[in-house]
Amino acid sequence: NLRILKHERIKIIEMDAAEFIDYEDYNYIYMFNPFPANIMRKVIDNIHLMLEKKKRCITIVYSNPICHD
């Protein structure tokens, strides 16, 4: 679908979500019930670390929040 769309601002990254730390380039993060709670905690911690280094507003859309706590 992305090839058909030919949108240059969309990027798919395939890796261990707990290891991903390159959030600086993103203003919007969309997740649809993506991970179990232990991985979700690591992802949120990594986002917090990025925001401590580069303070700014980002938008996180978390659909179907079963790990919202």
Side-chain angles (χ1 to χ4, degrees):
N1 286 339
L2 288 177
R3 276 189 225 121
I4 293 169
L5 186 59
K6 295 180 184 176
H7 200 295
E8 296 168 4
R9 295 178 63 190
I10 296 173
K11 185 176 183 181
I12 294 176
I13 300 168
E14 221 177 315
M15 67 179 295
D16 183 339
E19 301 298 320
F20 183 75
I21 58 170
D22 296 325
Y23 291 100
E24 300 88 24
D25 295 334
Y26 303 98
N27 296 318
Y28 297 90
I29 300 169
Y30 175 82
M31 296 182 265
F32 181 86
N33 185 22
F35 321 109
N38 62 327
I39 301 298
M40 189 63 168
R41 170 69 359 214
K42 290 177 183 178
V43 169
I44 296 300
D45 288 346
N46 287 339
I47 292 170
H48 279 174
L49 286 173
M50 178 271 304
L51 290 172
E52 287 177 3
K53 292 178 188 175
K54 185 179 177 182
K55 294 196 184 303
R56 62 199 179 92
C57 289
I58 63 169
T59 300
I60 299 175
V61 177
Y62 183 23
S63 295
N64 196 22
I66 64 167
C67 296
H68 62 278
D69 56 324

